[in-house]
Amino acid sequence: MQKTKILAVAPYEGMAAILTDIAQSRDDIALTVHTGDLFTGRDIAMQLAHKNYDVIISRGGTAELIQSAVELPVIDISISVYDILLSIKLAESYNGKFVIAGFPGITANAHLLCDLLQYDIDIITFKDSADAVNHLKKAKENGCTLVLCDVTGARAAKDIGLNYNLVTSGRESIENAVAEAVKLVHSSNYVHKQKDLFQSLLTEDDREFLIYSPAGT
C-alpha cells in the first residue's frame, strides 16, 4: 500500500508531539512534522513543499499563510467547540476578566459557543500579528487580565504583560485533519499518479528541461 506523504507544520510543540504519536499509530501515512508559527511556518512549508509531499497539515493563521504560498493542498486543523469550551471552563476559576482572542479559526466557533450557552465573553478576531498587539492593548486598558488565545495571541499577550492560556486543538481534531488529508489524496489518486510519472521523467532522465508557464515565465 502506497503511503500518503504528509508534511505537518505545527504552530506549537504540543501539537507536534500529538502528530508524531498519531503517525506512529498509522501504517498508511508517512508524516514529517516541523514546528513553526505564521511566517516561520510558511517558510518551512515553502522550503519543503517540493519534496514529493502529497498534502500539508497546519492550523489557523499558519495554515492560511501556507495555503497562499504553495500549490499543495493544505488541511486546516480545526479548533472545535469542545476545545474552546474546555478552555473557558478552565478559565472560570480565574479571578479577573478574560477574553477570547485569535484568528477566525478560533473566534468563529467561540461566537457560536457563546451564543448557544449565553456566555458574556468578549471575543477579539485578529487580521495579523500587528493587529493582535493593538487589540490586546485595548483589552488590557479595559480591565482584561487573561486571554484565551492562539499562538499569535499568546505571543502578543506576553509582549504586553497579559496572562494567557493557549487554546489547543484536541487529539480528536488533529486525528480528523489527518484522516481528511488521507481522504483528499486518495480521492485524487489519478492526478497523483500523473504527478509521480512526470516527476520520475524529470528527475531520472539525463536530459535537462526548461518548463514554461503559458505566460512564458
Side-chain angles (χ1 to χ4, degrees), residues 71-97:
E71 294 185 356
L72 283 176
V74 179
I75 301 298
D76 188 355
I77 298 171
S78 67
I79 301 170
S80 70
V81 170
Y82 176 77
D83 295 333
I84 297 168
L85 180 60
L86 181 60
S87 292
I88 292 174
K89 289 299 181 183
L90 290 172
E92 283 181 343
S93 59
Y94 178 77
N95 291 323
K97 180 181 178 180

Side-chain angles (χ1 to χ4, degrees), residues 4 6 26 28-29 55 57 75 177-187:
T4 302
I6 304 173
R26 298 185 60 145
D28 60 336
I29 62 174
V55 63
I57 291 176
I75 301 298
V178 173
E180 185 180 349
V182 173
K183 183 177 179 181
L184 174 66
V185 173
H186 285 180
S187 69

Side-chain angles (χ1 to χ4, degrees), residues 2-8 23 26-32 53-55:
Q2 185 173 355
K3 294 185 177 183
T4 302
K5 303 176 186 69
I6 304 173
L7 171 62
R26 298 185 60 145
D27 60 5
D28 60 336
I29 62 174
L31 188 145
T32 303
Y53 290 106
D54 298 314
V55 63

Side-chain angles (χ1 to χ4, degrees), residues 44-176:
I44 290 170
M46 290 175 67
Q47 291 167 11
L48 299 177
H50 69 284
K51 292 187 177 293
N52 205 28
Y53 290 106
D54 298 314
V55 63
I56 298 174
I57 291 176
S58 192
R59 190 183 92 155
T62 307
E64 289 181 15
L65 285 171
I66 292 172
Q67 197 165 30
S68 67
V70 303
E71 294 185 356
L72 283 176
V74 179
I75 301 298
D76 188 355
I77 298 171
S78 67
I79 301 170
S80 70
V81 170
Y82 176 77
D83 295 333
I84 297 168
L85 180 60
L86 181 60
S87 292
I88 292 174
K89 289 299 181 183
L90 290 172
E92 283 181 343
S93 59
Y94 178 77
N95 291 323
K97 180 181 178 180
F98 66 88
V99 300
I100 300 172
F103 286 102
I106 283 183
T107 58
N109 277 343
H111 278 292
L112 176 64
L113 178 65
C114 290
D115 287 344
L116 286 173
L117 300 182
Q118 298 297 298
Y119 284 150
D120 184 20
I121 303 172
D122 290 337
I123 300 171
I124 300 167
T125 302
F126 305 147
K127 294 179 181 177
D128 51 43
S129 53
D131 192 45
V133 172
N134 294 332
H135 275 301
L136 293 187
K137 280 182 178 178
K138 291 179 182 177
K140 185 177 181 181
E141 291 169 0
N142 291 328
C144 168
T145 54
L146 173 67
V147 186
L148 311 183
C149 55
D150 56 14
V151 177
T152 299
R155 187 179 296 114
K158 185 177 181 180
D159 287 345
I160 64 173
L162 271 176
N163 297 313
Y164 63 88
N165 285 341
L166 185 66
V167 180
T168 59
S169 295
R171 186 183 179 93
E172 183 179 359
S173 297
I174 300 172
E175 287 178 336
N176 288 342

